[in-house]
Amino acid sequence: MARYTDASCRLCRRESQKLFLKGDRCYSTKCAMERRAFAPGQHGQGRKKVSDYGLQLREKQKAKRFYGLLEKQFHNTFLKAEKRKGITGDNLLVMLETRLDNVVFRMGFASSRKEARQLVNHGHFTVNGRKVDIPSYEVAPGSTVAVKKTSQKSPKFEEIKDMQISAPAWISVDVAKLEGTVLSLPRREEIDTPIAEHLIVELYSK
């Protein structure tokens, strides 16, 4: 499986905003954006006039990096969103939000989407009682995502039982049982990821 292996902080600096790719570190003074809030490379601090295409490209890159997808994965997701009824941009964000790795992150069982993807890959979660180790698995409304029984005793998940978790309105979480339920598909106003999806639609529509 292809994946990004370079420094995560470079991505935040390139997009000129925090993408929260490294969990707790992103909220501390150790965050690269706190010290070097400009693009990496020798021309990172230079002023550049950005074209309409450049704005659209940057928005697409930002969305990819927020959710941890590579270009082919992201494009395929867009094509599926385009075929569904409704607004393509909204469909795209809903599909990204209902990926299993993102749902695990939203439930508070991982400090970042990157960690959530790793936990899912390692088989720590079940969906409706069945083990699922595919991060891109699309979780349907009414589905229950839970930490596998054999994984609940690990220090990672024992700590979560004592945490206060603030989940979005479309998700219900039972911290004591280490499980959560997707109540419904998220509405656009319930998705707080700062993405201008119309720019992505314009880019792929050319």
Side-chain angles (χ1 to χ4, degrees), residues 46-76:
R47 289 188 177 183
K48 294 181 181 179
K49 184 177 180 180
V50 183
S51 64
D52 289 343
Y53 172 78
L55 289 173
Q56 295 162 359
L57 178 63
R58 289 266 56 84
E59 205 64 26
K60 186 259 292 182
Q61 294 293 85
K62 182 171 68 174
K64 278 171 44 183
R65 290 162 177 174
F66 256 120
Y67 290 98
L69 276 68
L70 298 181
E71 178 60 38
K72 186 175 181 179
Q73 294 172 300
F74 190 85
H75 191 209
N76 286 341

Side-chain angles (χ1 to χ4, degrees), residues 147-175:
V147 178
K148 198 170 61 173
K149 294 293 184 183
T150 54
S151 301
Q152 291 186 8
K153 295 180 181 179
S154 72
K156 162 68 184 175
F157 296 114
E158 284 289 345
E159 290 178 5
I160 293 175
K161 292 181 180 180
D162 299 323
M163 294 171 58
Q164 293 289 331
I165 293 176
S166 178
W170 54 280
I171 290 176
S172 173
V173 180
D174 188 332
V175 181

Side-chain angles (χ1 to χ4, degrees), residues 65-122:
R65 290 162 177 174
F66 256 120
Y67 290 98
L69 276 68
L70 298 181
E71 178 60 38
K72 186 175 181 179
Q73 294 172 300
F74 190 85
H75 191 209
N76 286 341
T77 303
F78 176 84
L79 293 177
K80 291 177 183 177
E82 201 173 27
K83 293 177 182 177
R84 296 189 178 185
K85 292 182 180 179
I87 302 171
T88 300
D90 291 358
N91 292 342
L92 174 63
L93 289 182
V94 168
M95 290 180 69
L96 293 172
E97 282 290 314
T98 52
R99 284 172 52 99
L100 179 56
D101 54 358
N102 185 74
V103 171
V104 167
F105 167 69
R106 291 294 194 186
M107 288 179 174
F109 297 157
S111 60
S112 66
R113 290 182 178 89
K114 183 176 182 180
E115 183 186 32
R117 186 161 52 255
Q118 184 181 50
L119 291 172
V120 172
N121 272 327
H122 289 180

Side-chain angles (χ1 to χ4, degrees), residues 20-28 111-113 115:
F20 301 99
L21 303 176
K22 300 193 76 172
D24 295 338
R25 184 186 178 95
C26 299
Y27 298 93
S28 72
S111 60
S112 66
R113 290 182 178 89
E115 183 186 32

